[in-house]
Amino acid sequence: MPKNNLKIKVKNSGLVKMQFFNDFPDGNLVIGEANKNVPFAIKRVYFINNLLNKKSVRGKHAHKKLEQVIFCVNGKFTLSLDDGKNRQKITLDSPYFGVRLGPRLWHTMSSFSSDCVILVLADNYYKESDYIRDYGKFLKYVRQ
Ligand code: T46
């Protein structure tokens, strides 16, 4: 299993290690299982690709209740996390480790390589009312 020594310092986050089988030279098999290495039951999966605009910035929100794990399955990008007190920037460039995006965690994705593919596993369906898209409101929400 490839190693990742990254330490996550913000709240409501953490590293998710995928199960890994090295079938060299016939490929790698990489597995996530609900309530095992993925810390919830998965209800929704989405991916983001075609990140051709170098200046593109995505995310810029927090969730009230949603639990997610975000992966970079190809290429790389920068994930910026902010729990209202601590901030951390992470380069995601390995498909073997995901980062937990728990609730009350402001997250921004940027600096995408053009071949970047982001995969997200979520514990619930899309619900716009779960988003906090205003940073001032986010700070009030986490400090109340
Ligand atoms: C997140 C980060 C990591 C839907 O209708 N259904 C969905 O399942 C999703 C994910 C989005 N949408 C709609 C909502 C917006 O009108 O798609 C549009 C673009 O979504 P958004 O601007 O929120 O995309 P990102 O990349 O900024 O954020 C996404 C997820 O929305 C978000 O939950 O945590 O990826």
Side-chain angles (χ1 to χ4, degrees):
M1 170 67 145
K3 288 213 165 66
N4 187 321
N5 298 321
L6 176 72
K7 294 260 181 304
I8 306 252
K9 298 173 210 149
V10 293
K11 278 190 270 181
N12 300 339
S13 186
L15 272 192
V16 171
K17 286 184 194 167
M18 298 297 269
Q19 198 184 348
F20 178 87
F21 287 94
N22 180 343
D23 285 331
F24 183 85
D26 301 319
N28 297 325
L29 180 61
V30 184
I31 305 154
E33 289 183 299
N35 294 321
K36 291 188 177 175
N37 51 346
V38 176
F40 49 78
I42 301 155
K43 264 198 186 166
R44 182 166 54 109
V45 175
Y46 58 90
F47 63 84
I48 302 169
N49 64 356
N50 255 348
L51 287 152
L52 303 179
N53 175 9
K54 288 257 170 275
K55 293 180 183 165
S56 169
V57 179
R58 303 193 64 104
K60 292 184 284 179
H61 60 250
H63 287 282
K64 293 177 186 163
K65 295 213 168 122
L66 191 69
E67 280 284 353
Q68 303 188 103
V69 180
I70 188 164
F71 296 90
C72 186
V73 291
N74 199 60
K76 65 176 181 176
F77 73 98
T78 301
L79 178 67
S80 304
L81 300 176
D82 176 347
D83 62 16
K85 206 169 170 191
N86 306 297
R87 291 180 175 180
Q88 184 169 10
K89 269 187 200 259
I90 298 167
T91 300
L92 276 190
D93 58 2
S94 165
Y96 311 119
F97 296 88
V99 173
R100 177 184 166 219
L101 296 177
R104 305 159 75 93
L105 188 59
W106 189 265
H107 53 276
T108 301
M109 298 96 83
S110 61
S111 305
F112 305 101
S113 62
S114 54
D115 60 350
C116 176
V117 180
I118 296 173
L119 174 72
V120 182
L121 312 178
D123 79 338
N124 218 333
Y125 302 118
Y126 169 75
K127 198 163 109 188
E128 187 56 39
S129 61
D130 188 69
Y131 286 70
I132 306 170
R133 293 192 185 268
D134 177 277
Y135 188 69
K137 286 184 183 158
F138 162 71
L139 287 181
K140 272 193 191 154
Y141 189 81
V142 292
R143 287 172 185 174
Q144 71 194 0

